[in-house]
Amino acid sequence: MADCSCDRRRKIWVTKDLCENTDEVEKFMNHPAPANSRYKPTCYEHAANCYTHAFLIFPAIVGSALLHRLSEDQWEKITAWIYGVGLCALFIVSTVFHIISWKKSHLRTMEHCFHMCDRMMIYIFIAASYAPWLNLRELGPLASHMRWFIWLMAAGGAFYVFHYHEKYKIVELFFYLAMGFSPALVVTSMNNTEGLQELAWGGVIYCMGVIFFKSDGIIPFAHAIWHLFVATAAAVHYYAIWKYLYRSPGDIILQL
């Protein structure tokens, strides 16, 4: 009888430990989503998703204003505006979507709308990130067509999201990668190769982040980690644009 009692106590302790561990996991990560369905973040993951992009909105605005201030002609100002809007909009739309998803999840229509906008902004951001390189560097007659073709791809991606949102996730990921790599083939063919190393490193960081983009329910805080990769890659690309395509702040100081 004593042995039976001890066995029963062991089972209770083991069950209790398993429950506590399960509760701890569910705080930081839920189970993976079924095929073609959205992952449901935990409260902690929602908070991380919001903060990791919300804190970047102000630096993005300041950085965009700096490029506009450093512009020497109208074309550089327009390009700085295009890039700046794409950069700021990415972080703003992402933050708004994650706040609504976290705090206003009962507003399904609004949440669905901002989720689509969040996905569409990725295509627009890719096009805007290439705009300074395609607009301000001398390109060959064939390569110059990429200046408008990149926006055609962004429009096609937005159309795809609007009609097939969350239905074919692998296809959507392929579109993101294809759009990210296609203009790179043109940019790397430029005679002036300054800044291309930083551009390549930024692309590598984005690709590394894709691992976490597709790891919700497998790695805790996967989406927030993906946000950090996006922030790092965007910072590397911004540095290259600021350093190699626009004047340095020292030139401005000398003129004041």
Side-chain angles (χ1 to χ4, degrees):
M1 291 295 291
D3 291 340
C4 292
S5 178
C6 289
D7 290 340
R8 191 177 297 109
R9 288 197 191 96
R10 288 195 196 98
K11 289 179 181 179
I12 292 172
W13 291 336
V14 170
T15 303
K16 185 178 179 181
D17 289 340
L18 288 173
C19 290
E20 288 177 352
N21 290 335
T22 301
D23 291 341
E24 194 67 27
V25 170
E26 289 178 350
K27 283 184 180 180
F28 303 110
M29 182 180 69
N30 283 324
H31 296 293
N36 298 323
S37 298
R38 277 179 54 194
Y39 171 73
K40 301 296 183 182
T42 67
C43 186
Y44 290 94
E45 288 181 313
H46 271 306
N49 293 342
C50 293
Y51 296 141
T52 47
H53 269 180
F55 288 143
L56 296 171
I57 295 174
F58 181 72
I61 293 173
V62 173
S64 301
L66 175 61
L67 291 184
H68 193 272
R69 179 70 180 85
L70 295 175
S71 299
E72 292 183 328
D73 54 42
Q74 195 66 24
W75 188 233
E76 286 191 0
K77 288 183 178 180
I78 293 173
T79 300
W81 182 86
I82 293 172
Y83 172 68
V85 168
L87 182 66
C88 296
L90 177 77
F91 297 132
I92 292 172
V93 173
S94 174
T95 300
V96 172
F97 160 66
H98 286 296
I99 290 174
I100 292 174
S101 180
W102 180 18
K103 298 295 186 180
K104 305 290 184 182
S105 58
H106 59 285
L107 302 176
R108 296 299 182 188
T109 301
M110 182 184 293
E111 184 189 15
H112 180 75
C113 177
F114 273 95
H115 194 207
M116 288 198 300
C117 291
D118 181 53
R119 290 291 184 261
M120 291 176 183
M121 273 309 309
I122 297 177
Y123 293 107
I124 297 172
F125 174 67
I126 294 172
S129 296
Y130 275 112
W133 302 98
L134 297 174
N135 291 351
L136 304 181
R137 283 278 173 87
E138 185 176 352
L139 302 174
L142 295 178
S144 61
H145 290 297
M146 185 59 70
R147 288 170 179 159
W148 59 266
F149 187 69
I150 186 71
W151 291 104
L152 184 63
M153 286 192 285
F159 178 85
Y160 177 85
V161 171
F162 186 80
H163 287 279
Y164 302 104
H165 180 55
E166 289 293 306
K167 289 186 177 179
Y168 310 106
K169 293 185 177 182
I170 297 299
V171 175
E172 187 176 40
L173 178 62
F174 172 78
F175 283 166
Y176 288 140
L177 294 175
M179 187 176 173
F181 281 108
S182 296
L185 301 176
V186 171
V187 172
T188 54
S189 67
M190 297 184 303
N191 292 329
N192 185 349
T193 59
E194 289 183 333
L196 297 190
Q197 186 174 0
E198 288 87 346
L199 191 64
W201 273 113
V204 170
I205 295 171
Y206 277 124
C207 290
M208 292 171 61
V210 170
I211 297 172
F212 296 92
F213 181 66
K214 303 302 293 183
S215 296
D216 285 327
I218 301 173
I219 300 173
F221 297 99
H223 197 80
I225 296 172
W226 153 247
H227 280 185
L228 296 178
F229 273 90
V230 170
T232 303
V236 172
H237 281 177
Y238 177 88
Y239 170 77
I241 292 168
W242 166 78
K243 182 176 181 180
Y244 299 106
L245 299 180
Y246 287 83
R247 296 178 298 169
S248 66
D251 296 332
I252 298 292
I253 295 173
L254 290 175
Q255 293 180 2
L256 295 178

